[in-house]
Amino acid sequence: MISSWCRKTIVLVTLTSSFFLDGNVYLLANNNLANNNASSYTKNIDTNPETLYQMSRYDEAIKKWLEMLDLTSNLDEKALIYNNLGIAYRQTGKISEAIAQWQQAIVIYQSQSPSQNQSQNSDRLTKLFIDQAQAYIALGQHQQAVLLLQKVATIASPENMQLVKGTLGNAYFALGKYEQAIAVYQESISLTNKPQILAKGWMNLGNAFTKSAQRYQAQIQVEIEEGDRPEVTRLQNLRSQSLAAARNAYARSLQPDSEAMLKAQVLLNLAHLIQADLDHEDDQDQKLTVYLQQASDFLAIAPPSRSKVYTLLDLAALHQQSSPSLQMRPLEQARAIAQSIGDLRSESFVLGAIGKVYEAQGDFTRALSFTSQAQWLAQTNNSADSLYRWQWQAGRILNARGERSKSIETYRQAIATLQSIRSDLVAADRGFQFDVRDTVEPVYRELIELLMTESISTSNLTNQKSMIEEALQVSELLRLSELQNFFGDECLQTKSTSKANLDRESQSLVKQSQQKVALIYSIILDQQTYIVIRLPDNSLKSYLVDVSKAKFYTKIKYLRFTLENVATNEYLTPAQEIYDLLIRPIEKDLERSQVELLVFVNDGILRTVPMAALYDGKQFLIQKHPISYLVGSKLPDETGSFSQLNLVAFGLSEAIAPFKALPNVLKELEEVEKIWESPINKKPEWKTFFNRDFTFESLQTQIKQGYGVVHLATHAKFGATPETTFLQAFDRKINLDQLESILRSSRTQIELLVLSACQTAAGDNRSILGLAGVSLRSGVKNVLATLWAVDDADVVPLIKDFYTEWQTNGLTKAKALQQAQIKSITKDNFHPASWSAFILVGN
């Protein structure tokens, strides 16, 4: 299920921005073709491609420049035409074609001898590379843009360095690296005194501060759930500082001589601040009305352009809570402009937005008509990133009309389109990039709901199983999309998304293990939750949990809270309630099938709680069955003892702020060493690194050598984002990217990674994605970790018992963990706070 290493990033962006440094049509102003023999086409205003371009008649300008290419053999002239073609193709949304045209110009300039117009050619090359970098950002290839710009910075003249820095800021912004973007934008602003460029620079800086504030807001919500008041206060202060900086930057971009388009964009961004409820000021409704009216006035005098179309779309979206007429007015204007400049891509977005307005009004006939037109234009223009939206919208409309079969088929098309662009869609314009939670996840979940509803309504058992199978397949694609979105790249991909291939993989799940395995899937939807169980004979059964998502989340969050609170037995009531909801309906199936292992493939909030702690009134679930967790569709191979595995262990007992000391870590490492020294292990190899010896460098060096077991007894926090996820070594924090890179460097596959003092954020189910992702992305076979921080005195006996059962007694890892947890329960340690936090995650 895993592809080779790769890098691509998704970011959530809701701001209107100057994606390209608009106005810097670098070589059009220097085009000398009007003054030479090849310029007969430029004498008449109707055939002058520059004039056609300025009139936004891009397709006609492209046609003229292509004709001019055939009429000149002069390399300088060809290079200028190639550049202009690139700019024109960019304006029509044909980004890849734009890059190709610029590359032709680059080849010409690079082929000239150093003595030929060296300074001028260097200047032209710099600007061409900048254009290419901007195009790479538009295609979602942000890291490639960063590398290109870093290279260009070494040759750029002081006059061009501002452009390099500004574009580099755009690349960092698209990568979600807002701190780097802010620093580079500030550098860029300091390098120019040109009013128009300064205005755009200030707006981009304001956008970066706004996104930084949004990130702080998301982290605040997590820390509120965690109950960390000092951290909440710190983050709130940082959010306030970012918002103040954003408002200041926007104000500085709104200069009297700023372009009308830019003023409109800035005003809409200020409106977004209000709608996102980040900017808690008085008279916000009044301010919102003023911003929208002023933006509309500036747009009225801005010249037609692709950027104007998208800004009008943004204006319409901000009017979503207003009357339909306020939405339709800018949409009609946007449609007229898109048609006048021949931009099929932007016209597709406009038609889709009009269809959405009619959908909201319940006018499904007109909604479907406009949506179908948007879909056709997206297909014509090969715009898969917009096509899936209109397929999804058509599916919703068809479902609302009661045409469920057609709706399901249309949703399937939307999923297929998403998968064709590897699920981590990055749109060609920053204003249309998205977060998987908001713009991709609903497509999957709505199809799953349709399929599960259909499976219940049909009496045909074959059709019923087929529908459930497909729902599970779509659910897996969603999990992979979530992981890709969490990490911001494509490094988790399915080998094939064909239904036949997914069927084969799905049907082979329970046959991979030597044990009798039951896979238990949860699917959390808005109005209900489904539990699907695949039994050892490959039969499928589904059960409805008739509780809304909102109520279910409340129940699970309360369970997690009580499980961590060792001072009371409050957990007993919610632990039994959740057992009754999720496990009680499948108990008889598990008994009849003589299941030996429960493998949970959990959804959403259920990832934050251990199934082991669910309570039937007499016993915990772990006392009945060994348990493991899975993220993908493949069960790890468990054939028994791994006594030949070598081990490297790292431990940190000293207090390093904000973490307290872990005084029992040394004892934990000593117990692990004793097991590896046992005579049953033939030629055991093991090493331990404690406190000052546990450094980033020592971890990196040792893992490269290849160990079957890597044991890390130190603080590890898995937060809601990669930025809030890290491992604490003695000398530094090791972030998620670094940890993953270190683990991947091992010359042999790691059989087991143990993180004996880690914790995941209770306030966000995405935090477990970081834990699962360490395994999936680095090739580690299993991870044994804790969902919350456990007293290190309780860790030592459980870890000792686990290794003894696995290494000495030859049990599977899941069975070994079960026995260790049962032992903890029976040794006057009944409360699950100390033992249930340990979970085994399989790759």
Side-chain angles (χ1 to χ4, degrees):
M1 300 298 292
I2 309 304
S3 72
S4 59
W5 172 244
C6 50
R7 174 68 61 181
K8 188 172 181 182
T9 300
I10 296 176
V11 294
L12 175 139
V13 180
T14 56
L15 301 168
T16 302
S17 176
S18 66
F19 181 76
F20 299 107
L21 299 176
D22 299 327
N24 296 299
V25 182
Y26 306 119
L27 299 183
L28 282 175
N30 298 322
N31 196 332
N32 296 317
L33 290 177
N35 300 317
N36 60 44
N37 294 332
S39 64
S40 61
Y41 284 94
T42 68
K43 292 178 180 178
N44 187 303
I45 192 169
D46 291 332
T47 58
N48 186 328
E50 292 182 26
T51 303
L52 292 169
Y53 176 91
Q54 297 297 346
M55 294 171 65
S56 300
R57 292 159 64 179
Y58 303 123
D59 287 334
E60 295 173 68
I62 288 169
K63 182 179 178 181
K64 294 297 180 183
W65 275 316
L66 289 173
E67 290 174 359
M68 292 170 69
L69 270 178
D70 295 332
L71 294 176
T72 181
S73 57
N74 184 288
L75 289 179
D76 280 339
E77 292 174 358
K78 280 184 175 290
L80 291 170
I81 295 171
Y82 281 130
N83 176 74
N84 294 343
L85 281 167
I87 295 168
Y89 276 122
R90 181 184 70 187
Q91 291 289 5
T92 62
K94 298 175 181 176
I95 309 299
S96 296
E97 186 61 37
I99 291 174
Q101 297 296 328
W102 287 322
Q103 188 60 37
Q104 294 279 6
I106 288 169
V107 168
I108 290 173
Y109 289 130
Q110 288 180 328
S111 68
Q112 295 180 347
S113 63
S115 60
Q116 290 181 279
N117 303 318
Q118 184 174 359
S119 175
Q120 187 180 35
N121 283 355
S122 176
D123 184 64
R124 288 171 174 173
L125 277 170
T126 297
K127 291 178 178 177
L128 283 164
F129 281 131
I130 290 171
D131 275 342
Q132 279 197 324
Q134 291 170 331
Y136 282 130
I137 298 169
L139 289 173
Q141 299 173 23
H142 314 308
Q143 195 60 46
Q144 188 166 347
V146 169
L147 294 174
L148 179 59
L149 290 163
Q150 288 173 339
K151 181 179 178 180
V152 173
T154 63
I155 64 168
S157 65
E159 294 77 19
N160 288 324
M161 188 57 73
Q162 187 277 331
L163 296 176
V164 175
K165 293 292 185 181
T167 312
L168 183 58
N170 289 345
Y172 281 133
F173 185 98
L175 281 166
K177 296 182 177 180
Y178 303 126
E179 290 183 7
Q180 289 98 318
I182 288 167
V184 175
Y185 282 143
Q186 289 171 332
E187 283 185 68
S188 173
I189 288 168
S190 71
L191 293 172
T192 186
N193 57 7
K194 296 179 180 178
Q196 296 300 331
I197 296 177
L198 273 173
K200 291 175 183 177
W202 282 113
M203 180 177 72
N204 288 337
L205 181 61
N207 290 347
F209 276 120
T210 297
K211 296 305 296 180
S212 179
Q214 288 179 333
R215 178 169 288 172
Y216 287 133
Q217 181 63 30
Q219 293 173 0
I220 287 167
Q221 296 305 314
V222 172
E223 295 304 332
I224 287 174
E225 295 284 351
E226 292 287 295
D228 190 341
R229 295 307 307 175
E231 183 65 7
V232 169
T233 301
R234 186 184 75 85
L235 290 170
Q236 286 174 334
N237 289 335
L238 290 172
R239 181 193 60 188
S240 297
Q241 291 169 21
S242 292
L243 285 171
R247 288 193 295 270
N248 177 62
Y250 287 144
R252 298 191 69 167
S253 67
L254 287 173
Q255 298 302 316
D257 55 355
S258 297
E259 294 174 350
M261 174 63 67
L262 183 133
K263 288 180 179 178
Q265 291 171 337
V266 172
L267 289 162
L268 293 181
N269 289 343
L270 287 166
H272 278 297
L273 281 178
I274 292 174
Q275 281 209 341
D277 201 28
L278 286 171
D279 199 357
H280 302 288
E281 290 189 349
D282 296 333
D283 305 321
Q284 293 208 112
D285 289 343
Q286 183 179 348
K287 283 186 177 181
L288 179 62
T289 302
V290 170
Y291 289 150
L292 295 181
Q293 184 58 55
Q294 289 178 342
S296 182
D297 292 343
F298 284 120
L299 281 170
I301 61 174
S305 69
R306 190 163 186 250
S307 180
K308 182 173 180 176
V309 174
Y310 289 144
T311 307
L312 284 164
L313 280 167
D314 194 25
L315 176 61
L318 283 161
H319 276 303
Q320 194 167 354
Q321 305 303 321
S322 307
S323 66
S325 61
L326 285 175
Q327 283 184 267
M328 292 300 293
R329 196 174 302 134
L331 290 177
E332 288 165 356
Q333 295 171 22
R335 185 183 184 188
I337 294 169
Q339 289 176 337
S340 71
I341 64 176
D343 190 342
L344 298 181
R345 174 179 167 77
S346 62
E347 186 181 356
S348 172
F349 274 109
V350 176
L351 290 168
I354 293 172
K356 188 175 182 180
V357 173
Y358 284 124
E359 179 191 6
Q361 291 178 267
D363 188 344
F364 299 126
T365 300
R366 280 200 279 188
L368 193 58
S369 174
F370 279 99
T371 303
S372 298
Q373 293 177 62
Q375 191 173 332
W376 183 83
L377 283 179
Q379 288 171 321
T380 302
N381 199 40
N382 274 333
S383 299
D385 57 312
S386 61
L387 175 59
Y388 93 91
R389 297 168 187 265
W390 317 135
Q391 291 167 330
W392 171 27
Q393 190 161 292
R396 294 197 309 267
I397 295 166
L398 288 165
N399 187 40
R401 285 169 46 151
E403 300 177 54
R404 187 183 291 168
S405 296
K406 288 183 180 180
S407 175
I408 289 174
E409 185 54 40
T410 308
Y411 269 100
R412 286 171 179 156
Q413 293 169 9
I415 298 294
T417 301
L418 281 169
Q419 292 307 118
S420 75
I421 44 181
R422 297 179 297 277
S423 301
D424 62 340
L425 176 66
V426 180
D429 288 277
R430 195 161 68 186
F432 289 97
Q433 292 174 358
F434 60 85
D435 177 36
V436 69
R437 278 178 165 175
D438 301 325
T439 318
V440 173
E441 183 176 333
V443 188
Y444 292 89
R445 292 201 182 276
E446 287 166 19
L447 176 55
I448 291 168
E449 184 163 17
L450 281 167
L451 291 167
M452 293 304 295
T453 302
E454 192 75 1
S455 74
I456 290 174
S457 64
T458 182
S459 57
N460 185 307
L461 294 180
T462 302
N463 290 343
Q464 185 182 73
K465 183 177 180 182
S466 176
M467 289 291 176
I468 297 173
E469 289 277 14
E470 187 177 354
L472 293 179
Q473 293 158 14
V474 176
S475 180
E476 179 176 347
L477 294 177
L478 172 58
R479 286 194 301 277
L480 290 171
S481 292
E482 287 176 314
L483 283 160
Q484 289 167 344
N485 178 245
F486 179 86
F487 288 96
D489 60 38
E490 296 174 336
C491 296
L492 298 159
Q493 299 176 13
T494 54
K495 287 183 288 189
S496 169
T497 57
S498 71
K499 189 175 188 303
N501 187 69
L502 287 170
D503 281 342
R504 284 194 298 271
E505 289 195 352
S506 181
Q507 290 167 7
S508 67
L509 287 176
V510 295
K511 298 177 183 178
Q512 296 174 45
S513 178
Q514 304 274 330
Q515 308 170 79
K516 288 188 175 182
V517 177
L519 283 113
I520 303 171
Y521 303 85
S522 55
I523 301 172
I524 302 174
L525 303 173
D526 284 341
Q527 299 306 317
Q528 65 271 323
T529 290
Y530 288 96
I531 300 299
V532 179
I533 179 172
R534 187 186 298 279
L535 294 165
D537 63 358
N538 203 42
S539 62
L540 276 177
K541 293 192 175 183
S542 67
Y543 299 89
L544 176 66
V545 180
D546 194 15
V547 178
S548 71
K549 178 180 177 180
K551 289 183 179 179
F552 192 63
Y553 267 50
T554 300
K555 292 177 185 293
I556 298 301
K557 284 183 178 182
Y558 181 59
L559 173 59
R560 163 84 185 232
F561 172 76
T562 57
L563 286 175
E564 288 188 65
N565 187 2
V566 73
T568 75
N569 287 332
E570 287 181 40
Y571 72 88
L572 285 170
T573 298
Q576 186 166 346
E577 182 183 8
I578 302 303
Y579 184 99
D580 291 341
L581 286 174
L582 305 184
I583 307 301
R584 191 79 67 186
I586 64 175
E587 276 184 324
K588 291 182 179 178
D589 294 314
L590 298 176
E591 270 181 50
R592 279 195 297 265
S593 300
Q594 298 179 320
V595 168
E596 298 170 317
L597 172 66
L598 301 184
V599 178
F600 285 91
V601 187
N602 278 338
D603 186 21
I605 194 73
L606 278 174
R607 298 169 184 152
T608 68
V609 293
M611 297 294 104
L614 299 187
Y615 190 63
D616 70 357
K618 296 180 180 178
Q619 286 183 303
F620 293 106
L621 184 59
I622 193 64
Q623 293 175 287
K624 301 178 177 183
H625 304 279
I627 293 170
S628 69
Y629 302 83
L630 203 58
V631 212
S633 64
K634 297 286 189 180
L635 288 171
D637 179 30
E638 283 278 20
T639 56
S641 174
F642 291 92
S643 60
Q644 298 303 307
L645 293 173
N646 54 6
L647 170 141
V648 63
F650 293 82
L652 180 64
S653 65
E654 295 187 18
I656 295 181
F659 300 116
K660 297 178 181 178
L662 298 170
N664 290 285
V665 164
L666 179 58
K667 183 172 178 55
E668 178 181 340
L669 297 187
E670 289 173 346
E671 293 293 347
V672 173
E673 285 180 2
K674 287 178 185 177
I675 294 170
W676 251 258
E677 288 175 336
S678 169
I680 196 169
N681 281 322
K682 300 176 182 178
K683 299 180 181 178
E685 295 181 24
W686 53 267
K687 292 181 182 178
T688 57
F689 296 82
F690 183 59
N691 281 349
R692 294 180 183 275
D693 294 328
F694 176 13
T695 64
F696 177 86
E697 184 178 353
S698 64
L699 181 67
Q700 194 174 42
T701 301
Q702 292 302 315
I703 298 298
K704 279 184 182 178
Q705 296 179 17
Y707 289 88
V709 181
V710 176
H711 187 104
L712 302 174
T714 182
H715 291 289
K717 184 171 182 179
F718 287 83
T721 64
E723 292 76 20
T724 57
T725 298
F726 60 88
L727 176 84
Q728 183 67 60
F730 181 82
D731 59 335
R732 60 184 287 186
K733 288 182 173 67
I734 301 174
N735 66 38
L736 192 58
D737 282 346
Q738 293 166 333
L739 177 59
E740 178 196 329
S741 178
I742 290 170
L743 294 171
R744 201 181 328 111
S745 72
S746 176
R747 63 182 178 84
T748 58
Q749 184 180 31
I750 298 171
E751 177 69 32
L752 178 65
L753 169 67
V754 178
L755 298 166
S756 70
C758 80
Q759 64 183 101
T760 63
D764 195 310
N765 68 76
R766 284 165 60 93
S767 63
I768 200 67
L769 295 176
L771 179 58
V774 166
S775 168
L776 281 169
R777 290 161 57 93
S778 61
V780 173
K781 204 168 182 180
N782 295 97
V783 178
L784 177 63
T786 52
L787 288 173
W788 55 78
V790 179
D791 189 318
D792 66 325
D794 293 323
V795 169
V796 175
L798 192 142
I799 287 293
K800 175 188 174 184
D801 292 337
F802 166 76
Y803 277 126
T804 299
E805 297 291 349
W806 178 42
Q807 283 291 293
T808 306
N809 298 337
L811 299 183
T812 64
K813 291 187 283 294
K815 187 72 175 175
L817 179 59
Q818 180 200 28
Q819 293 304 310
Q821 289 177 316
I822 289 174
K823 200 168 183 180
S824 291
I825 294 169
T826 56
K827 288 183 352 186
D828 299 323
N829 205 2
F830 189 77
H831 199 290
S834 61
W835 56 263
S836 72
F838 284 86
I839 62 169
L840 183 66
V841 181
N843 181 351

